[in-house]
């Protein structure tokens, strides 16, 4: 019996090894957690266009929105662990379990390629009466729950930073949820909400056009694209304990995928990332290039998760 099982194991190993050696034999499905034209989508499409040339098969991008990206995450998890369904996501799944959004986290996936992370800032519309971040905080302290912060719901970027702000300043806001970063930003631009937290890549064009004002940046160094915008630590030095911090972006496969397939994917994306045209995309969106895979990517995500959970606990957001 033992000889039979050993023989079967060897046969299966050879079969699956052959499959991995031939990979990919068909087009690959890239599932983006957010809508077409959004920040994550805008990073994944040009990267995939380069990687697919290396792989020799097309990467078909599919936008699957909803529930802070968890619908797309569940979809990829439910698919076969064969390397033909990629999760193209942001940082959100790292917190799904502690936020009761999903039982899945990035621990259920292997990171093929961690693209980079970015700086975020506090934004108001061009006609806002608030001329500084401090003015927003003081107004919120005088009238708690009245200053409107547009968010993308629990687990989204504005919600996370809102929790950090509450921890540091004690200010409380009326958080209004929207279905995307874009709609949360639009709510500020049209006056529905007082402010939001915006990625530079999402707000840079509106900033250049004068339709959106960045009051401060959550960064440890000035951003070249907007050198006049102060760092949050200028007004509130205690934010330093949370910095550097920001959204990150990566490509993932379901855990259990053949390591040889992961290696092929990682090799393709690792070669695609440094390509000059893609580096220009990252520069235009002010993305800090990481280019991690394997253990380096896993360590980065684990550290990000631990630091963020600690911050959310301190703010009371996880009570």
């Amino acid at each position: 019996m033992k000889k039979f099982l050993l023989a079967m194991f060897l046969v299966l190993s050879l079969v699956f090894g052959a499959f991995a050696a031939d990979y990919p034999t068909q087009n690959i499905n890239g599932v983006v957690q957010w809508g077409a034209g959004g920040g994550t989508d805008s990073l994944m499409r040009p990267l995939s266009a380069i990687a697919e040339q290396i792989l020799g098969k097309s990467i078909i991008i599919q936008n699957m929105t909803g529930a802070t990206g968890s619908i797309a995450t569940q979809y990829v998890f439910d698919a076969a662990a064969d390397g033909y369904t990629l999760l193209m996501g942001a940082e959100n799944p790292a917190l799904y379990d502690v936020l009761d959004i999903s039982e899945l986290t990035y621990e259920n996936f292997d990171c093929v390629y961690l693209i980079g992370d970015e700086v975020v800032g506090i934004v108001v519309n061009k006609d806002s009466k608030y001329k500084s971040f401090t003015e927003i905080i003081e107004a919120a302290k005088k009238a708690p729950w009245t200053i409107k912060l547009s968010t993308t719901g629990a687990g989204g970027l504005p919600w996370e930073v809102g929790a950090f702000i509450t921890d540091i300043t004690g200010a409380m806001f009326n958080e209004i949820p929207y279905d995307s970063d874009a709609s949360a930003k639009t709510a500020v631009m049209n006056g529905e909400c007082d402010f939001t937290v915006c990625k530079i890549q999402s707000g840079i064009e509106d900033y250049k056009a004068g339709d959106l004002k960045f009051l401060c940046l959550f960064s440890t160094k000035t951003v070249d694209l907007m050198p006049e915008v102060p760092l949050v630590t200028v007004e509130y030095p205690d934010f330093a304990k949370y910095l550097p911090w920001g959204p990150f972006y990566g490509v993932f496969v379901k855990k259990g995928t053949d390591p040889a397939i992961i290696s092929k994917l990682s090799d393709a994306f690792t070669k695609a990332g440094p390509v000059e045209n893609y580096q220009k995309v990252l520069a235009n969106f002010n993305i800090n290039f990481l280019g991690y895979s394997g253990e380096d990517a896993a360590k980065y995500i684990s550290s990000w998760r631990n630091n963020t959970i600690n911050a959310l606990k301190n703010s009371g957001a996880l009570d």
Side-chain angles (χ1 to χ4, degrees), residues 46 50 273-282 284:
I50 302 170
V275 170
E276 183 178 358
N277 286 344
Y278 190 64
Q279 287 294 309
K280 289 180 180 178
V281 171
L282 298 182
N284 287 338

Side-chain angles (χ1 to χ4, degrees), residues 79-302:
D82 57 8
Y84 288 104
T85 307
L86 310 180
L87 177 62
M88 296 181 159
E91 74 286 352
N92 312 86
L95 301 175
Y96 282 167
D97 57 338
V98 296
L99 299 178
D100 293 325
I101 292 173
S102 169
E103 294 181 357
L104 298 175
T105 72
Y106 277 135
E107 294 180 0
N108 299 104
F109 298 84
D110 286 314
C111 186
V112 168
Y113 192 62
L114 195 61
I115 301 168
D117 55 21
E118 64 177 317
V119 173
V120 302
I122 299 296
V123 297
V124 296
N125 72 31
K126 62 180 180 180
D127 299 317
S128 174
K129 64 181 180 181
Y130 302 113
K131 307 305 179 185
S132 70
F133 181 51
T134 296
E135 289 185 15
I136 292 178
I137 298 304
E138 290 178 347
K141 285 185 172 182
K142 288 180 181 177
W145 313 109
T146 62
I147 305 302
K148 295 180 180 179
L149 164 61
S150 60
T151 76
T152 51
L157 171 65
W159 179 87
E160 291 169 347
V161 176
F164 298 168
I165 294 172
T166 295
D167 178 35
I168 297 297
T169 70
M172 300 290 188
F173 307 102
N174 179 11
E175 298 188 2
I176 311 297
Y178 292 84
D179 62 4
S180 70
D181 287 337
S183 54
K185 179 186 69 174
T186 299
V188 170
M189 294 176 67
N190 65 22
E192 291 177 21
C193 292
D194 296 296
F195 78 105
T196 192
V197 181
C198 188
K199 306 167 190 174
I200 289 181
Q201 65 150 308
S202 301
I204 187 63
E205 294 305 320
D206 299 305
Y207 162 80
K208 290 178 179 178
D211 295 325
L212 199 64
K213 293 181 180 179
F214 276 82
L215 297 184
C216 67
L217 299 174
F218 287 77
S219 175
T220 57
K221 58 184 180 180
T222 302
V223 172
D224 291 341
L225 290 174
M226 43 186 70
E228 76 286 359
V229 180
L231 305 182
V232 67
T233 49
V234 172
E235 296 171 87
Y236 294 92
D238 287 348
F239 273 102
K241 69 179 183 179
Y242 289 143
L243 302 176
W245 183 94
F248 62 82
Y249 304 91
V251 180
F252 303 82
V253 291
K254 180 179 177 180
K255 194 170 286 294
T257 301
D258 191 308
I261 291 176
I262 296 175
S263 179
K264 282 193 173 185
L265 286 166
S266 293
D267 179 67
F269 282 101
T270 298
K271 289 176 179 176
V275 170
E276 183 178 358
N277 286 344
Y278 190 64
Q279 287 294 309
K280 289 180 180 178
V281 171
L282 298 182
N284 287 338
F285 286 144
N286 199 60
I287 302 296
N288 172 45
F289 179 58
L290 297 175
Y292 296 161
S293 60
E295 190 61 29
D296 290 335
K299 286 181 179 178
Y300 174 97
I301 295 171
S302 176

